[in-house]
């Protein structure tokens, strides 16, 4: 296998990788909390204006708008998640291909330093493998890249939720001029603040933990591809070295036979010469 094939396999692995379900579940949970908060707000207001058909109709329009806005927010955030995750994968690949090239080069240097001995090529140092595995893991599970991803997701959700809250409060302005909805609006705003605080305090940590666990799994898969490449190429080198070794032995054997044959012929000539001298 060529090094370029190994890098292509790694890139394919990263391209096919999807955002961990644990992360989408965390984000979905946050949006569900917000969904409950704004719906409770509208439900509470409906109790205050239920005897006013005109205000009930206006509230119905607001409810429909907020429902559409909520779905659009989720869709928008999904796109941002995908873009952020694609960016993370691209940065991971940029780093890991450099790491892989360096590890392969170091392997080559080590084998040449060992004089291409048959044992050095066939035997794989377990300590070296462990260090290579950790090197790949460190570069895939990159704290800087993961932190940037988490910040983008957190910022997107906070922005969408805060924007939605402001829109709802704004649309309730006309109703609030006719009915006192201060308590309901304040209650809604407080619930949103709790959700935002949860995003600030827990979302980042939870997403980061899930991302770290997922990265370890991806790093292990990349390491498996790498070690498969190493085994295949070292076996090829070992076979080539063995062939050279065998050819060398055969040459020495043939050379030894030629020397022995030359000695035998020379001895025969000497013996024949002695026999002729005796006859004379």
């Amino acid at each position: 296998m060529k090094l370029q094939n190994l890098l292509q396999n790694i890139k394919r692995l990263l391209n096919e990788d999807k955002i961990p379900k644990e992360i989408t579940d965390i984000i979905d949970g946050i949006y569900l909390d917000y969904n409950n908060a704004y719906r409770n707000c509208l439900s509470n207001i409906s109790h205050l204006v239920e005897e006013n058909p005109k205000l009930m109709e206006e509230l119905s329009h607001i409810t429909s708008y907020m429902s559409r806005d909520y779905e659009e927010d989720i869709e928008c955030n999904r796109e941002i998640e995908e873009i952020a995750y694609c960016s993370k994968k691209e940065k991971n690949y940029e780093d890991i291909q450099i790491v892989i090239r360096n590890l392969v080069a170091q392997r080559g240097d080590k084998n040449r330093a060992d004089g291409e001995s048959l044992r050095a090529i066939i035997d794989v140092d377990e300590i070296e493998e462990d260090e290579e595995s950790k090197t790949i893991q460190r570069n895939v599970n990159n704290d800087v890249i993961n932190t940037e991803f988490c910040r983008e997701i957190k910022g997107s959700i906070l922005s969408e939720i805060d924007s939605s809250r402001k829109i709802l409060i704004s649309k309730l302005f006309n109703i609030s001029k006719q009915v006192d909805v201060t308590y309901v609006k304040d209650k809604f705003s407080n619930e949103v603040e709790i959700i935002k605080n949860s995003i600030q305090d827990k979302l980042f940590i939870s997403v980061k933990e899930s991302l770290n666990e997922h990265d370890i799994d991806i790093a292990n898969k990349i390491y498996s591809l790498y070690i498969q490449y190493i085994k295949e190429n070292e076996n090829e080198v070992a076979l080539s070295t063995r062939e050279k070794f065998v050819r060398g032995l055969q040459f020495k054997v043939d050379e030894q036979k030629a020397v022995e044959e030359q000695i035998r012929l020379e001895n025969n000539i000497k013996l024949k010469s002695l026999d002729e001298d005796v006859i004379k």
Side-chain angles (χ1 to χ4, degrees):
M1 181 192 296
K2 294 181 179 179
L3 176 58
Q4 193 58 36
N5 295 129
L6 169 61
L7 295 176
Q8 287 174 354
N9 289 339
I10 292 173
K11 188 166 188 177
R12 187 180 301 112
L13 172 67
L14 291 172
N15 286 341
E16 293 173 354
D17 181 36
K18 304 295 181 185
I19 298 176
K21 186 176 182 301
E22 293 80 5
I23 293 178
T24 57
D25 286 346
I26 292 169
I27 296 171
D28 288 345
I30 290 170
Y31 271 105
L32 183 59
D33 288 342
Y34 177 72
N35 182 64
N36 292 334
Y38 92 77
R39 285 186 177 278
N40 286 337
C41 174
L42 294 174
S43 176
N44 290 334
I45 291 177
S46 70
H47 294 312
L48 298 175
V49 301
E50 58 187 354
E51 295 182 2
N52 188 324
K54 187 177 180 180
L55 292 181
M56 279 297 290
E57 183 180 358
E58 184 174 348
L59 185 63
S60 176
H61 292 319
I62 294 173
T63 301
S64 296
Y65 177 87
M66 292 304 298
S67 179
R68 291 194 303 272
D69 182 68
Y70 175 76
E71 294 299 328
E72 289 173 1
D73 285 351
I74 290 179
E75 186 63 29
C76 179
N77 194 70
R78 284 277 185 270
E79 292 178 4
I80 292 173
E81 286 175 40
E82 288 296 330
I83 293 171
Y85 200 68
C86 284
S87 176
K88 165 184 158 51
K89 293 190 294 184
E90 288 172 1
K91 290 172 183 174
N92 278 144
Y93 180 69
E94 289 174 5
D95 289 348
I96 202 62
Q97 69 168 322
I98 295 173
V99 171
I100 293 295
R101 290 182 189 278
N102 288 340
L103 291 178
V104 170
Q106 288 169 13
R107 283 269 186 167
D109 292 342
K110 180 177 182 298
N111 286 342
R112 284 190 291 274
D114 288 334
E116 290 191 336
S117 67
L118 193 58
R119 178 174 177 79
I121 292 171
I122 294 176
D123 288 352
V124 178
D125 189 338
E126 291 183 1
I127 296 177
E128 182 180 23
E129 280 196 0
D130 184 58
E131 290 175 351
E132 289 174 334
S133 176
K134 289 177 180 177
T135 298
I136 290 173
Q137 195 171 106
R138 280 195 304 272
N139 284 272
V140 173
N141 187 16
N142 187 301
D143 186 71
V144 174
I145 294 175
N146 288 352
T147 297
E148 184 177 346
F149 172 83
C150 292
R151 283 176 178 165
E152 286 188 44
I153 297 303
K154 184 183 75 172
S156 171
I157 298 173
L158 284 171
S159 176
E160 295 291 348
I161 287 178
D162 201 46
S163 175
S164 182
R165 178 190 65 82
K166 290 177 181 178
I167 289 172
L168 177 54
I169 297 299
S170 174
K171 287 188 172 298
L172 290 174
F173 178 73
N174 187 54
I175 293 178
S176 66
K177 288 193 300 183
Q178 302 179 56
V179 178
D180 186 6
V181 295
T182 304
Y183 173 77
V184 176
K185 289 196 301 182
D186 288 346
K187 184 174 184 295
F188 168 64
S189 293
N190 289 335
E191 289 177 352
V192 172
E193 284 304 311
I194 291 173
I195 294 171
K196 288 171 64 177
N197 289 336
S198 176
I199 294 171
Q200 294 279 13
D201 298 337
K202 297 179 182 178
L203 173 72
F204 192 94
I205 296 173
S206 299
V207 170
K208 189 82 172 292
E209 287 177 351
S210 296
L211 209 56
N212 288 341
E213 291 177 6
H214 185 71
D215 280 350
I216 291 173
D217 180 57
I218 293 296
N220 288 336
K221 291 178 180 178
I222 291 176
Y223 176 70
S224 294
L225 292 173
Y226 165 74
I227 209 66
Q228 178 185 353
Y229 164 84
I230 291 298
K231 298 286 188 184
E232 288 181 9
N233 282 273
E234 286 186 342
N235 284 339
E236 289 176 5
V237 174
L239 288 173
S240 175
T241 302
R242 186 181 290 109
E243 288 173 359
K244 291 179 183 178
F245 178 71
V246 171
R247 285 199 300 270
L249 284 178
Q250 186 62 48
F251 175 78
K252 289 180 180 179
V253 169
D254 292 344
E255 186 180 53
Q256 182 65 29
K257 284 182 179 180
V259 170
E260 290 176 353
E261 181 64 19
Q262 181 64 32
I263 293 173
R264 187 183 66 80
L265 289 174
E266 290 177 356
N267 288 337
N268 286 341
I269 292 172
K270 289 179 180 179
L271 288 172
K272 185 176 180 180
S273 177
L274 288 172
D275 290 341
E276 289 175 352
D277 290 342
V278 170
I279 293 171
K280 291 176 179 180

